[in-house]
Amino acid sequence: QVQIEETGGGTVQAGESLRLSCTASRYTYTSGSMAWFRQVPGKEREGVASIYTGITYYSQSVMGRFAVSRNNPANGVYVLYLDMRNVQPEDTAVYYCAAVLIGTGSWDSANHWCSWGQGTQVTVSS
């Protein structure tokens, strides 16, 4: 089973930058599909960005401000990054890393991802 751990969350001021990292180990699937989601209390988990088959995808709310990237895997370990620029209070959420996109589902649906991390809190103050 893929094991996932996110790091890099914290509290920042609006307009600042932040980098999140996600390490996925025991990832033996060749697709290397991974994604970032976020969730605030009372709302569904929202797709933020994804990378698979070498293509990156973004939600409209973060396009142009966030950038997702991933390393070349070694020994079944992938590292996914989310570079967040010009963060805003509405970016405040728990950010989750996901791995292994199931079938041909849309990347921004949480139901289409197999493995999840525990999440890391990002708080943006105005």
Side-chain angles (χ1 to χ4, degrees):
Q1 185 177 355
V2 178
Q3 294 181 330
I4 297 175
E5 181 178 7
E6 306 99 335
T7 58
T11 300
V12 294
Q13 297 283 332
E16 293 184 341
S17 299
L18 192 66
R19 171 178 257 204
L20 304 183
S21 300
C22 165
T23 300
S25 56
R26 301 183 181 180
Y27 194 154
T28 59
Y29 299 93
T30 58
S31 70
S33 55
M34 298 183 74
W36 288 102
F37 282 74
R38 65 187 181 187
Q39 190 170 25
V40 297
K43 292 190 176 182
E44 292 187 354
R45 201 164 288 191
E46 172 195 19
V48 175
S50 175
I51 183 167
Y52 66 99
T53 63
I55 301 173
T56 56
Y57 300 86
Y58 298 95
S59 68
Q60 284 292 328
S61 62
V62 306
M63 194 171 296
R65 299 189 299 121
F66 291 10
V68 64
S69 60
R70 194 196 64 201
N71 72 324
N72 290 321
N75 299 319
V77 178
Y78 286 80
V79 182
L80 184 74
Y81 302 99
L82 185 67
D83 288 296
M84 308 165 63
R85 300 180 182 85
N86 188 25
V87 295
Q88 299 300 314
E90 53 265 34
D91 295 319
T92 295
V94 177
Y95 283 72
Y96 295 91
C97 179
V100 190
L101 183 65
I102 301 170
T104 59
S106 175
W107 73 268
D108 59 353
S109 173
N111 293 332
H112 295 156
W113 292 88
C114 186
S115 300
W116 293 88
Q118 294 299 308
T120 184
Q121 176 70 46
V122 173
T123 302
V124 182
S125 58
S126 58

